[in-house]
Amino acid sequence: AVAVCWCIWTLGSGYEAALEDMYGRPVTEDEELTLPNPYLPDFAAVGFFMVTTLLHAMVVLSQHWSLTWHCFCRYHPVSKIADGVYLKIVPKGHGKAALVRVEVSVGQESSGSKSLCFTFQRKKYECVDGRIRKIKFPSKQKIREYAMSTGLSNVAHVAGVFGGNDFDLPTPGFWPCFKQQLMAPLCVFQLFCMTLWLLDQMWKYALFGFFTVIAFEATSVFTRIKNANMLRSMGSIHRSMYVFRLRRWQECNSKDLLPGDLVSIKPGPGSDIIPCDCLLLRGTAVVNEANLTGESTPQMKEAVPLDPDTLGARLDRKGAHKIHTLFSGTTIMQQTLAGERPAPPVLADSELPAVARMPTPPDGGCICYVLRTAFGSSQGKLMRMIEVSAEQDVGDRANLRDSLLLIAILLCFAVGASALVWRKGLESGIKSRYELLLHCVLIMTSVIPADLPMQLALAVNASLISLMRNGVFCTEQYKIPLAGKLNICLFDKTGTLTADHLEAIGIVPHIEALAGDG
């Protein structure tokens, strides 16, 4: 407000000062004096207004670039985690830091013991006694607990803790993504340089630069939305299934499955994709795990044994008990009816597992115990990894440090050149101080070429289009410029590169047959 008032009070002072300076010194015929606009304020007021505007803009934009600065400007620290408190979470691996809101778990607001939880990178965490821990799925218990299960009875409580079995990946809108692209540091710097070119009467080049930046950023947004839609299509197709709840079989949608459910798995008319990670308790199945492992050979899955040694062991779904585990995202090809299962002779009738006494499902599918659902399942972890990897993070800190060091060295030379131009310009008196200031700022901004972000965006978009044409899905598009340093590419196996079918290419006749015909 002070800067604006100062500029209003001194309107026209710059023009009057330039006239006095021109009349007070001799002018040769070769010199072409330039006068400022008659309505320009005083030079000191213009300088103060520019500095104030830039500082305000940097304070606002820095909150989008730095989460630490955003927290410093808008939040204050608290000593206790409570409902409505925001937590700053910094991941150790992929992804970027984020602010998450702590809330009471859904379905527990009216209960006596409230559970505070939050969600970060599609994973749910709970706050207990001031400590944060990840909510664990029932996937590492003893086999006896799964075999003795009679299904869920408190469905509302379990649904409040784990949520539904739905891969809810909202499609980003164009305008929010476009705004995020335009507020990137390089894009803001490029728009600032173009504004300076407009002030220096280079309006054709500036307008062309504006149009080019808008076009390339819009292309990046469309590519990002297309990748998000492709990732969303990887989710399971919901279908009707039978679950054993309240001691009876009832029909349920696959998106409503919960950890602890007893579900009947069989190839469905709408989809053959297994919707969750589950333990096979009765029946057998043949599944195709190519979507997760890349191996095109079908895998045979058997029901978990009910002998005492197995019942006393803990579940190892990726090791010893992998043959008894069905993973989310895999395709079930065949299955046997889950008929009556005889009790082992070493178990007494009182120790007979509940799964052996359970009635056969109405659809005749395999009886399985649901271990993990949604983003906690095998398919969900894969989708979460792709989504998190696509987020732009800080990157290689070593390269960032070298880049900042190079910019600092070049900035020193730019400041020296600007000081020389300012001094020589004041001595000559040909150009006004306003033009000298504009030229000095342009010299300092030339440390980073203004066309560099545009060229980088063009190169990344061209690379993405080329990869998509060749059937390659890029999960981290911001790492494409670093891919130019690669000279060796290693693959751990060929299963992910081959198909499960044969294709006839041609026929080679026998040599003797050709000789006989000749």
Side-chain angles (χ1 to χ4, degrees):
V2 175
V4 174
C5 293
W6 191 3
C7 291
I8 294 176
W9 290 336
T10 59
L11 285 177
S13 300
Y15 184 76
E16 296 175 359
L19 288 177
E20 294 178 0
D21 182 67
M22 183 181 66
Y23 292 144
R25 60 180 296 275
V27 181
T28 62
E29 296 180 356
D30 298 335
E31 295 179 346
E32 295 182 1
L33 296 178
T34 56
L35 295 175
N37 191 286
Y39 299 101
L40 270 179
D42 184 63
F43 179 77
V46 172
F48 181 70
F49 177 78
M50 290 180 58
V51 172
T52 305
T53 303
L54 288 177
L55 289 178
H56 277 278
M58 289 301 298
V59 169
V60 174
L61 292 174
S62 297
Q63 298 183 38
H64 296 273
W65 301 338
S66 173
L67 184 61
T68 303
W69 179 252
H70 177 76
C71 295
F72 176 77
C73 295
R74 295 181 176 268
Y75 299 91
H76 64 275
V78 295
S79 58
K80 185 179 180 180
I81 300 178
D83 185 19
V85 171
Y86 285 86
L87 300 178
K88 177 186 174 183
I89 309 297
V90 181
K92 294 182 179 179
H94 291 281
K96 57 183 179 180
L99 283 178
V100 295
R101 179 184 173 89
V102 179
E103 298 176 345
V104 177
S105 180
V106 179
Q108 298 185 13
E109 294 88 345
S110 58
S111 60
S113 58
K114 295 183 179 180
S115 176
L116 299 177
C117 62
F118 64 89
T119 303
F120 176 68
Q121 291 184 352
R122 308 295 179 180
K123 291 189 291 187
K124 198 170 183 180
Y125 299 82
E126 61 179 351
C127 307
V128 180
D129 298 331
R131 302 181 62 182
I132 298 175
R133 63 186 183 186
K134 184 167 57 176
I135 295 180
K136 297 181 179 180
F137 288 89
S139 58
K140 295 183 179 180
Q141 301 177 3
K142 291 185 178 182
I143 303 296
R144 182 183 300 275
E145 298 184 21
Y146 304 121
M148 293 294 182
S149 175
T150 57
L152 290 179
S153 57
N154 192 356
V155 179
H157 174 75
V158 178
V161 175
F162 296 101
N165 185 33
D166 190 11
F167 298 100
D168 186 14
L169 290 175
T171 303
F174 175 80
W175 291 112
C177 292
F178 189 62
K179 178 182 176 182
Q180 185 179 4
Q181 290 287 125
L182 292 181
M183 297 187 69
L186 287 178
C187 186
V188 171
F189 173 77
Q190 194 171 9
L191 295 177
F192 174 72
C193 293
M194 294 172 188
T195 305
L196 296 179
W197 295 339
L198 283 175
L199 295 177
D200 201 27
Q201 299 181 356
M202 294 187 293
W203 60 272
K204 292 183 179 180
Y205 184 65
L207 292 180
F208 175 77
F210 273 118
F211 173 77
T212 307
V213 170
I214 297 299
F216 283 128
E217 296 300 336
T219 305
S220 300
V221 171
F222 282 122
T223 304
R224 180 179 175 184
I225 294 176
K226 186 176 182 180
N227 292 338
N229 291 332
M230 185 183 301
L231 179 62
R232 189 177 184 181
S233 64
M234 295 173 58
S236 300
I237 301 177
H238 301 304
R239 59 190 176 96
S240 179
M241 308 180 70
Y242 280 95
V243 295
F244 194 77
R245 292 178 180 175
L246 303 177
R247 298 185 178 275
R248 64 183 181 89
W249 288 103
Q250 52 185 293
E251 200 168 355
C252 174
N253 195 289
S254 59
K255 68 178 181 180
D256 297 326
L257 292 178
L258 299 172
D261 266 328
L262 293 177
V263 61
S264 175
I265 300 290
K266 66 172 298 183
S271 174
D272 297 335
I273 305 297
I274 299 176
C276 58
D277 290 355
C278 50
L279 179 64
L280 186 57
L281 299 179
R282 271 171 59 179
T284 59
V286 178
V287 297
N288 184 2
E289 298 181 347
N291 291 339
L292 298 181
T293 64
E295 299 293 342
S296 57
T297 304
Q299 303 294 320
M300 184 70 180
K301 301 292 183 177
E302 300 176 352
V304 61
L306 299 181
D307 57 274
D309 294 336
T310 304
L311 292 177
R314 289 194 176 274
L315 177 63
D316 185 8
R317 59 192 182 93
K318 294 185 178 181
H321 302 118
K322 184 177 181 181
I323 192 175
H324 313 302
T325 307
L326 303 180
F327 296 99
S328 173
T330 59
T331 303
I332 180 169
M333 305 172 64
Q334 297 178 4
Q335 52 86 215
T336 59
L337 295 178
E340 295 291 337
R341 186 170 184 179
V346 295
L347 290 178
D349 294 339
S350 60
E351 298 177 351
L352 187 64
V355 66
R357 307 188 304 267
M358 189 175 301
T360 303
D363 59 351
C366 302
I367 299 180
C368 302
Y369 184 96
V370 178
L371 300 174
R372 290 173 171 266
T373 58
F375 290 98
S377 62
S378 300
Q379 182 187 14
K381 287 183 178 180
L382 178 61
M383 297 181 62
R384 189 175 69 242
M385 182 194 67
I386 297 176
E387 182 189 22
V388 172
S389 300
E391 297 180 355
Q392 187 176 12
D393 53 3
V394 177
D396 191 355
R397 295 187 178 274
N399 292 333
L400 180 62
R401 182 175 62 252
D402 295 340
S403 301
L404 293 178
L405 180 60
L406 178 61
I407 292 175
I409 295 175
L410 296 177
L411 187 61
C412 294
F413 288 98
V415 171
S418 300
L420 180 62
V421 170
W422 178 264
R423 185 170 63 85
K424 293 297 184 179
L426 290 180
E427 291 178 356
S428 63
I430 298 176
K431 295 185 177 296
S432 64
R433 290 179 293 177
Y434 302 95
E435 287 185 295
L436 291 177
L437 178 62
L438 180 60
H439 290 168
C440 290
V441 175
L442 285 173
I443 291 174
M444 287 187 288
T445 55
S446 63
V447 171
I448 303 177
D451 295 334
L452 178 61
M454 181 174 57
Q455 295 172 359
L456 183 61
L458 177 62
V460 171
N461 289 332
S463 301
L464 287 175
I465 294 175
S466 177
L467 290 174
M468 293 181 64
R469 287 177 179 175
N470 290 275
V472 179
F473 183 75
C474 180
T475 60
E476 301 184 25
Q477 58 181 353
Y478 304 103
K479 300 293 181 66
I480 288 182
L482 300 178
K485 299 180 180 180
L486 298 178
N487 51 18
I488 298 177
C489 186
L490 302 179
F491 296 93
D492 60 342
K493 57 185 175 182
T494 59
T496 55
L497 306 178
T498 56
D500 57 351
H501 63 276
L502 300 178
E503 183 178 353
I505 302 298
I507 300 176
V508 179
H510 197 271
I511 298 178
E512 296 180 357
L514 291 177
D517 294 340

